Amino acid sequence: MTRIKGAKVQFPMRQIILSIVAVLSFSSARAEMKIPWNTSAQSLPWIPGNEYIDGRSKNFMDGTVEEKGKVKAEGELSADIMRPQGAKGPIPFVIMLHGCDGFGRVERKWGRDYGGRLVGAGYGVLLLDSFGSRGLGPDGVCSDPSQLTWARCRADDAYAALDWLIGQKIADPKRVYVLGRSNGATTTLIIMNRAIGDLHEHMFAGGFAMQPSCYLMKNVEFYAPVHLFLAEKDEATSPILCGQMAESKRSIPVKTVLWKGANHSFEDHEPIHVFHGYHVGYNAAAAEGTIKAIISALNEAKKAEN
């Protein structure tokens, strides 16, 4: 069922200030990491009824336009890790995925904002940089019409990070989630696709997708809970297609929140402006409501397991 939230919801100033103070005062350990890349063992069409679209790459760099034609069989993924100060042993983790332009100034701020809130709630965070790791420019793949192919490639990046977190005994194997925005949200839907998950040793406990492209996703089966956070005025990705996908019958229902009056990239503290032909920019109710809903869902899952 699609729930509609109004963008005019106002949060008391005292509540906002206390939330900011709580995050800033919560001590965390942060480190930069290099993660060995690996891909799924085989190629597999992942869209029901479409035997031609795959997108899996056997190479770390596959000679795309954005990679300036460079081909590289092996490579390492750059990532920032944040953990609650003093955290010991494997803990629940969230792998965060950037949008089409990578972790530039704006999206890195989002990573530290949402990431800080997650750490404050007791979760580890890994900010996975798929594009900086491959030397892509500041525009990432935003001008590339084949973003679906990139999203499939990035799904293997996320599974490589999942394997590494578990192998290093940093993350609880049963409680690693993925949170993506825009192209990273589309990647999240591919990650959670049962056909893709079955190709990997480890699987995610759930996925959170902020303004994904749901093109060709209507009949996809997910292997764990998926939460969508959509923007009513999104011009870059269709909230209508995502609503239709969520309403399709499947064994694990998709939960959806549609934010009224919100544009694409509502999580960024930037005024409404045009980016690659689309209106994007901040919506306070959507940005705050989304991270609160994510933390609430994580906490509910934790209670259910206990």
Side-chain angles (χ1 to χ4, degrees):
M1 178 180 295
T2 301
R3 294 183 293 146
I4 299 179
K5 301 288 185 178
K8 292 185 178 180
V9 175
Q10 294 184 348
F11 298 96
M13 182 59 68
R14 181 172 180 272
Q15 177 182 338
I16 294 174
I17 292 174
L18 287 175
S19 297
I20 294 173
V21 171
V23 171
L24 292 178
S25 63
F26 192 95
S27 215
S28 65
R30 177 179 173 274
E32 296 181 5
M33 296 291 178
K34 294 290 185 181
I35 297 172
W37 176 82
N38 60 72
T39 186
S40 51
Q42 66 185 82
S43 177
L44 178 75
W46 53 270
I47 299 172
N50 191 318
E51 299 299 318
Y52 303 100
I53 295 180
D54 179 3
R56 169 189 172 271
S57 173
K58 64 179 181 179
N59 297 312
F60 178 66
M61 296 179 68
D62 216 25
T64 66
V65 172
E66 292 83 10
E67 294 165 323
K68 298 180 176 61
K70 186 175 182 180
V71 176
K72 187 178 180 183
E74 304 294 335
E76 291 182 319
L77 296 162
S78 301
D80 283 356
I81 290 184
M82 298 184 290
R83 285 183 282 182
Q85 190 71 39
K88 297 180 180 179
I91 63 172
F93 249 83
V94 178
I95 295 178
M96 295 179 63
L97 308 178
H98 56 70
C100 70
D101 55 346
F103 272 127
R105 177 188 65 83
V106 174
E107 294 209 25
R108 188 156 295 279
K109 186 176 180 181
W110 165 73
R112 290 172 180 169
D113 177 15
Y114 271 36
R117 297 284 289 273
L118 289 164
V119 170
Y123 299 91
V125 171
L126 186 147
L127 304 179
L128 184 60
D129 187 355
S130 289
F131 296 163
S133 303
R134 294 177 169 89
L136 271 64
D139 199 42
V141 301
C142 294
S143 298
D144 190 337
S146 62
Q147 287 194 31
L148 197 63
T149 299
W150 268 105
R152 172 62 183 90
C153 172
R154 295 181 64 194
D156 280 339
D157 291 357
Y159 277 105
L162 172 65
D163 292 343
W164 184 84
L165 283 172
I166 294 173
Q168 296 293 314
K169 302 187 185 305
I170 296 172
D172 181 340
K174 295 182 179 180
R175 297 179 62 200
V176 182
Y177 298 82
V178 59
L179 163 60
R181 53 174 286 166
S182 195
N183 184 261
T186 306
T187 300
T188 297
L189 297 184
I190 297 175
I191 288 167
M192 301 308 299
N193 185 333
R194 183 174 294 279
I196 298 299
D198 286 344
L199 298 175
H200 296 271
E201 179 182 359
H202 301 111
M203 290 186 174
F204 287 87
F208 303 94
M210 300 171 60
Q211 311 126 63
S213 168
C214 297
Y215 176 60
L216 300 176
M217 304 281 188
K218 185 175 182 180
N219 297 316
V220 166
E221 282 289 340
F222 301 115
Y223 64 78
V226 170
H227 300 253
L228 304 183
F229 299 94
L230 311 175
E232 182 188 40
K233 297 172 66 176
D234 198 328
E235 299 167 354
T237 58
S238 171
I240 296 175
L241 281 181
C242 288
Q244 292 172 346
M245 182 200 75
E247 291 169 0
S248 299
K249 291 184 178 180
R250 49 176 48 87
S251 57
I252 301 177
V254 174
K255 296 183 178 180
T256 306
V257 177
L258 176 67
W259 294 101
K260 277 192 172 180
N263 294 93
H264 199 77
S265 300
F266 59 66
E267 61 274 22
D268 294 332
H269 291 256
E270 300 286 326
I272 303 297
H273 63 284
V274 176
F275 178 77
H276 283 272
Y278 308 115
H279 288 86
V280 300
Y282 186 56
N283 183 291
E288 180 69 13
T290 295
I291 185 58
K292 283 187 173 182
I294 291 170
I295 292 173
S296 176
L298 292 171
N299 290 341
E300 286 298 320
K302 181 179 180 180
K303 290 179 182 177
E305 290 177 1
N306 294 336

